[in-house]
Amino acid sequence: AGRGKKSAWELWNVFPQVTSVFVKLMSTPDGIEDDCMAVIERFVILLYDRTSGLMDVNEARKDLFSRKSRTLENIPPTRAALLQHTQRAVYQAGHIWSQVIVNDPVLPSPSEWGWEREGNCWKPKWTTLPQAKDSCYELIHCSCKKECKGRWKCFRNNLDCTGLCNCGGNCK
């Protein structure tokens, strides 16, 4: 979200490792290997923060949200959501489009590639994680560095610091 074709193209030009992964994934793969997913994660992290040294998209989300105060709309998707999106893209590019001129293409079930059946329709499976509203009653983070007191949101709401706080949940 919020990252266009031009940004992706410019990043691709300076991150050529992703080319071999794209080629591999458009060749009707049986699945997405962990090493391919790691390169895609790194590519997505760099789309959102060119200076990041992080390799895990979930860690990058935490860093951008807590330390750099980015809104949820301006951080990368979770790894679970990224995997589902990648599976849908691979299904379309690697299975459907790669067999477009084949008379009788052999296609795997969309349910194995990021889709779920609802009645007579196939709908995207956005993530395998539970909805945040169902698992987190409140997403509060503060700008504390070493001790929560007074004006910090954690202290005011009588909550312990979490990994979303600047202190990383290590306040005294």
Side-chain angles (χ1 to χ4, degrees), residues 12-27:
W12 191 351
N13 285 322
V14 297
F15 189 66
Q17 302 92 309
V18 79
T19 301
S20 61
V21 171
F22 289 160
V23 169
K24 191 175 191 176
L25 294 177
M26 64 180 248
S27 306

Side-chain angles (χ1 to χ4, degrees), residues 27-112:
S27 306
T28 59
D30 294 329
I32 300 173
E33 297 172 6
D34 289 340
D35 61 329
C36 290
M37 200 59 212
V39 173
I40 289 171
E41 270 190 84
R42 180 70 180 139
F43 184 77
V44 169
I45 290 167
L46 292 173
L47 269 176
Y48 285 84
D49 183 6
R50 290 279 178 104
T51 62
S52 177
L54 297 171
M55 302 298 283
D56 181 280
V57 75
N58 290 336
E59 288 179 25
R61 284 174 56 83
K62 177 183 165 191
D63 183 60
L64 290 170
F65 183 74
S66 62
R67 199 171 57 79
K68 296 191 177 183
S69 299
R70 297 258 186 103
T71 62
L72 289 176
E73 295 81 27
N74 290 315
I75 61 175
T78 63
R79 186 176 201 287
L82 180 59
L83 177 60
Q84 294 303 311
H85 177 75
T86 304
Q87 286 178 330
R88 289 190 303 276
V90 169
Y91 185 73
Q92 183 176 352
H95 290 281
I96 294 174
W97 285 112
S98 70
Q99 300 183 64
V100 74
I101 60 171
V102 176
N103 280 342
D104 195 16
V106 178
L107 297 173
S109 171
S111 65
E112 300 170 24

